[in-house]
């Protein structure tokens, strides 16, 4: 049993075709789906389904596609709210149309996911994780975190809830049971993904994190001003021209991040979470390859 990006994308389009009668909305949604390149959340659900001896390929394909429809909805909401990724087709579409399309994707995805299982806990968890992700996004939008601990909690809600949904529901679809250990470590998978995303986002001038002075983990770490390199990065980030100058020479910027301790800090956090995740997987005695 194997699941790949093409199969997930094809099922996403099939679901939209079945659920949407409005031809223009359907066309818009299919265009947005075509823009999607990564399907790691659906794959994570599949990995856990297989690890817990799930055998019905059709049901896990629907779950993976449903989750990826939800992820796409959140991506569209996030880009419009943050004014990010301006080259995406939904950012070049009338934002009112894009918002309505994202709301449609959100509704379709949860309907499809909840229809998979008669177990009420399955549906309750799907809704819980979706709401938690929105609460995390709300705190991100209002730039709430003032400490690294608060930022990690926000990341757990915003990104961790979606990885938890994928792993937990994939497991439940196979076993019929909720597993708190999987929920716990899958939150950490989401935290790792967001830390990596924030780090590589430093080199992307289309991202709004710097312009909006977002309190990411890296930003909060830099503001502790451990050394002159931290101060230099912060000073250059104060202006658009200074930041563009900084990222124009990637090698120099990477060296400066290393001198500031950012690279080591990010790597340390990732390694800590990876070790915790691997230890919890070993206790479950399941075969699953995440890295």
């Amino acid at each position: 049993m194997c699941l790949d990006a093409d199969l997930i994308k094809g099922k996403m389009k099939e679901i939209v075709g079945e659920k949407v009668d409005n031809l223009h909305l359907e066309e818009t949604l299919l265009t947005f789906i075509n823009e999607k390149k990564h399907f790691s959340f659906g794959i994570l659900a599949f990995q856990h389904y297989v690890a817990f001896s799930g055998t019905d390929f059709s049901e896990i394909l629907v779950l993976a596609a449903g989750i990826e429809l939800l992820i796409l909805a959140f991506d569209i909401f996030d880009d419009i709210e943050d004014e990010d990724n301006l080259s995406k087709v939904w950012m070049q579409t009338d934002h009112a149309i894009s918002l309505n399309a994202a709301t449609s994707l959100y509704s379709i995805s949860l309907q499809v996911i909840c229809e998979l299982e008669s177990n009420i806990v399955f549906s309750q968890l799907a809704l819980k994780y979706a709401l938690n992700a929105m609460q995390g996004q709300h705190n991100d939008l209002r730039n709430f975190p003032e400490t690294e601990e608060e930022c990690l909690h926000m990341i757990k809600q915003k990104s961790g809830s979606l990885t938890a949904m994928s792993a937990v529901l994939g497991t439940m679809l196979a076993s019929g049971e909720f597993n708190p250990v999987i929920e716990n470590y899958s939150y950490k998978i989401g935290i790792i993904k967001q830390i990596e995303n924030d780090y590589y986002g430093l080199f992307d001038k289309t991202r709004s994190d710097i312009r909006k002075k977002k309190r990411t983990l890296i930003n909060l770490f830099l503001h502790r001003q451990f050394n002159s390199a931290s101060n230099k990065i912060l000073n250059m980030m104060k202006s658009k021209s200074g930041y563009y100058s900084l990222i124009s020479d990637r090698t120099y910027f990477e060296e400066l991040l290393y001198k500031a301790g950012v690279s080591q800090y990010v790597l340390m956090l990732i390694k800590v979470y990876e070790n915790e995740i691997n230890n919890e997987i070993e206790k479950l005695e399941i075969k699953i390859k995440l890295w």
Side-chain angles (χ1 to χ4, degrees), residues 15-259:
I15 290 169
V16 166
E18 291 172 354
K19 299 292 185 183
V20 178
D21 296 326
N22 185 299
L23 292 179
H24 186 271
L25 176 58
E26 180 183 356
E27 182 182 338
T28 301
L29 296 179
L30 294 178
T31 301
F32 290 180
I33 290 171
N34 280 331
E35 186 86 358
K36 193 167 171 58
K37 300 293 189 293
H38 304 289
F39 301 85
S40 59
F41 293 90
I43 297 297
L44 186 64
F46 173 75
Q47 289 174 315
H48 282 80
Y49 183 80
V50 172
F52 283 85
S53 305
T55 58
D56 188 338
F57 185 77
S58 61
E59 70 174 5
I60 186 54
L61 178 57
V62 172
L63 177 62
I67 289 172
E68 289 295 350
L69 286 169
L70 182 66
I71 299 303
L72 179 56
F74 279 133
D75 283 344
I76 297 167
F77 288 139
D78 189 65
D79 286 344
I80 292 174
E81 289 160 355
D82 287 343
E83 300 172 283
D84 259 345
N85 295 317
L86 301 181
S87 63
K88 294 291 187 181
V89 64
W90 48 81
M91 295 302 290
Q92 297 179 2
T93 302
D94 182 325
H95 284 184
I97 296 292
S98 293
L99 281 171
N100 187 65
T103 305
S104 301
L105 287 170
Y106 179 86
S107 304
I108 292 167
S109 64
L110 288 177
Q111 181 185 15
V112 166
I113 291 169
C114 292
E115 285 175 346
L116 270 170
E117 273 282 344
S118 57
N119 183 348
I120 188 65
V121 177
F122 188 88
S123 298
Q124 288 174 336
L125 285 169
L127 295 170
K128 181 190 83 167
Y129 294 131
L131 179 57
N132 282 349
M134 286 187 162
Q135 293 183 82
Q137 173 70 350
H138 183 79
N139 280 340
D140 189 23
L141 288 169
R142 69 189 189 100
N143 217 6
F144 167 74
E146 294 186 359
T147 67
E148 288 157 69
E149 290 75 19
E150 287 175 345
C151 191
L152 283 168
H153 179 69
M154 181 195 75
I155 292 171
K156 179 182 176 180
Q157 278 195 307
K158 178 181 175 180
S159 302
S161 293
L162 299 176
T163 47
M165 174 187 286
S166 304
V168 169
L169 296 189
T171 300
M172 283 192 73
L173 196 61
S175 69
E177 297 179 356
F178 167 72
N179 191 314
V181 176
I182 288 174
E183 181 183 66
N184 184 50
Y185 78 63
S186 56
Y187 274 123
K188 296 171 184 176
I189 295 171
I191 292 172
I192 289 175
K193 288 178 180 291
Q194 188 61 54
I195 291 172
E196 291 175 337
N197 183 270
D198 287 344
Y199 179 79
Y200 291 113
L202 289 171
F203 302 90
D204 185 356
K205 65 181 181 181
T206 67
R207 291 276 294 272
S208 65
D209 288 1
I210 304 302
R211 173 168 48 86
K212 293 190 172 184
K213 297 180 173 57
K214 282 289 188 71
R215 292 186 187 131
T216 63
L217 270 178
I218 293 170
N219 178 278
L220 290 167
F221 178 82
L222 285 170
H223 274 88
R224 291 165 71 181
Q225 300 181 30
F226 289 116
N227 51 43
S228 59
S230 298
N231 291 326
K232 186 168 186 176
I233 293 171
L234 288 171
N235 286 331
M236 294 186 75
M237 285 180 171
K238 286 180 180 177
S239 70
K240 185 176 180 178
S241 60
Y243 176 59
Y244 281 7
S245 172
L246 189 61
I247 65 175
S248 64
D249 186 340
R250 187 183 181 103
T251 301
Y252 171 71
F253 189 22
E254 287 178 339
E255 289 174 355
L256 205 55
L257 288 168
Y258 184 83
K259 289 177 181 177

